[in-house]
Amino acid sequence: MDFLRSLFARMQGLGSGPVEQVLDELSLEGMARYIQSGDCKNIICMVGAGISTSAGIPDFRSPGTGLYSNLQKYDLPCPEAIFEIGYFKQHPEPFFTLARELYPGQFKPTVCHYFMCMLKEKGLLMRCYTQNIDTLERMAGLEEKDLIEAHGTFHTSHCLNVLCRKEYGLPWMKEKIFSEEIPKCEKCNSLVKPDIVFFGESLPARFSSSLRSDFPRCDLLIIMGTSLSVQPFASLVMKVPPKTPRLLINREKTGESDSLMSFMGIGGMDFDSEKAYRDVAFLGSCDDGCLALAEKLGWKDELVAMVTRQHAAIDALEGGGASASMANKSSGAGDKGEGPEQKDKPADQSGAGERGKED
């Protein structure tokens, strides 16, 4: 319905003048000047698995290295079955085996995660909409009010019995997973599932309610580490006002309109046409993109110091290991990129969502 309203409105306005361009240049430098202008007060970040690959967490669809390329050992009818709610209820073992390998708390947040925290510290971050379930945004310092976890989270779990629905916290689920037990409810003995969104499940209610209030007020949309292939997360790029600049930080350009949609003035990103006026792409790793933008903003040293300090604090809590060196990042060495996604497949790191409802 939103799509039809947008289509109708834009068709009515085909004869109107061009949309105001707020960037003085379609470049990373132009984005930096806009952020510093005082007119950019509400930044929304949309993020996917590509922001976590440098932490050591594989994305889902990179050929050869993505999770879907390495699930043969679970003897699944298809790779996506590991995130299908019907299959999970009958065969929970593969999911919990995989969860043991990827469980939150085994990885450190990346430069990209801390860049979003820096935006928050500077009073610029309105919200982070994440497809990921690794909880690294929380670990980096974003709070629940800062986050819309579109594909749910490992942070809480619930009994699947609709008459029970007892809630369990992260420590309880972690103990069950690492003791190789199938988590069962202490109240009714039904299966307990982390609150991540599987195929066949509805999205969190907060996703829909927040986007209706957040996106009309967005002054800058930063999209990082997602191929914008799975709906409805991909459609969020169209929810911001027509003049709002959009910055993509990704291994490849993505989210672009097809020729018909571009002609009608609707659809996705437009980086290269003569009509382009607000979209900028940084092609490379998410960490490198954030460092490059931070450098244009004069924040790079502050960002590097934040990452080093926070990683050292995490190491101290864990009781070992040296803080990850920032030397390679500072010199431009990148993290792994996110491979192409497929439409109507599970989203980055969540493998989740009711198709047609979620990316």
Side-chain angles (χ1 to χ4, degrees), residues 151-164:
H151 292 163
T153 177
F154 266 101
H155 196 66
T156 56
S157 301
H158 281 85
C159 172
L160 289 181
N161 183 342
V162 295
L163 300 177
C164 177

Side-chain angles (χ1 to χ4, degrees), residues 8-315:
F8 182 69
R10 290 179 183 269
M11 289 181 70
Q12 283 187 316
L14 284 177
S16 61
V19 178
E20 175 188 359
Q21 179 172 324
V22 301
L23 297 176
D24 61 22
E25 181 182 339
L26 293 180
S27 66
L28 205 61
E29 291 82 357
M31 285 287 180
R33 287 191 291 270
Y34 174 58
I35 292 171
Q36 294 175 319
S37 69
D39 295 326
C40 181
K41 300 175 182 178
N42 296 307
I43 297 176
I44 292 177
C45 294
M46 289 173 55
V47 301
I51 75 167
S52 295
T53 53
S54 66
I57 302 175
D59 63 28
F60 274 79
R61 297 176 179 86
S62 289
T65 61
L67 288 178
Y68 284 156
S69 296
N70 294 283
L71 292 177
Q72 299 90 343
K73 60 185 176 182
Y74 298 116
D75 194 28
L76 301 168
C78 63
E80 295 82 1
I82 203 166
F83 295 114
E84 290 177 351
I85 189 62
Y87 186 86
F88 172 79
K89 289 178 178 179
Q90 298 297 318
H91 306 283
E93 297 84 2
F95 170 79
F96 285 116
T97 301
L98 177 64
R100 203 156 44 244
E101 298 180 25
L102 301 177
Y103 203 77
Q106 303 181 80
F107 307 95
K108 296 185 183 77
T110 67
V111 169
C112 188
H113 291 97
Y114 288 113
F115 179 77
M116 292 190 290
C117 290
M118 184 165 287
L119 291 176
K120 176 186 175 179
E121 287 186 359
K122 296 182 182 296
L124 295 172
L125 182 70
M126 176 192 290
R127 209 86 64 204
C128 169
Y129 282 70
T130 178
Q131 298 169 281
N132 300 335
I133 60 169
D134 53 37
T135 73
L136 290 182
E137 296 90 357
R138 291 177 184 255
M139 191 173 181
L142 296 185
E143 302 174 76
E144 186 165 352
K145 65 182 178 63
D146 304 316
L147 287 168
I148 301 298
E149 292 162 317
H151 292 163
T153 177
F154 266 101
H155 196 66
T156 56
S157 301
H158 281 85
C159 172
L160 289 181
N161 183 342
V162 295
L163 300 177
C164 177
R165 298 297 293 163
K166 180 176 173 61
E167 181 175 309
Y168 296 89
L170 191 64
W172 183 92
M173 179 57 73
K174 182 177 182 179
E175 180 185 354
K176 298 297 181 184
I177 288 177
F178 282 93
S179 63
E180 301 189 20
E181 294 181 47
I182 299 301
K184 295 293 184 70
C185 180
E186 295 171 352
K187 183 178 179 181
C188 71
N189 203 41
S190 297
L191 190 62
V192 176
K193 182 183 79 67
D195 291 340
I196 64 174
V197 183
F198 276 43
F199 284 130
E201 294 188 300
S202 298
L203 305 183
R206 190 162 171 257
F207 173 82
S208 297
S209 62
S210 295
L211 72 87
R212 285 194 294 269
S213 61
D214 287 349
F215 278 74
R217 299 185 292 124
C218 178
D219 297 320
L220 171 62
L221 182 64
I222 302 178
I223 305 118
M224 298 184 281
T226 173
S227 63
L228 294 176
S229 296
V230 187
Q231 298 294 347
F233 196 89
S235 69
L236 297 187
V237 299
M238 303 188 318
K239 302 293 186 183
V240 296
K243 71 175 185 178
T244 298
R246 301 178 296 191
L247 171 62
L248 175 71
I249 299 176
N250 202 48
R251 283 289 187 184
E252 58 189 11
K253 290 179 182 177
T254 188
E256 295 173 280
S257 305
D258 60 34
S259 56
L260 175 61
M261 301 295 269
S262 295
F263 173 77
M264 299 175 71
I266 58 178
M269 315 279 279
D270 180 4
F271 303 107
D272 303 312
S273 82
E274 294 180 357
K275 296 181 179 179
Y277 68 97
R278 62 167 172 168
D279 296 330
V280 173
F282 176 96
L283 301 185
S285 76
C286 294
D287 285 355
D288 286 348
C290 288
L291 283 168
L293 180 55
E295 184 170 27
K296 303 296 183 186
L297 290 163
W299 303 350
K300 183 177 180 180
D301 290 346
E302 185 181 354
L303 177 58
V304 170
M306 175 187 283
V307 176
T308 303
R309 182 176 64 253
Q310 295 299 326
H311 280 189
I314 293 169
D315 288 334

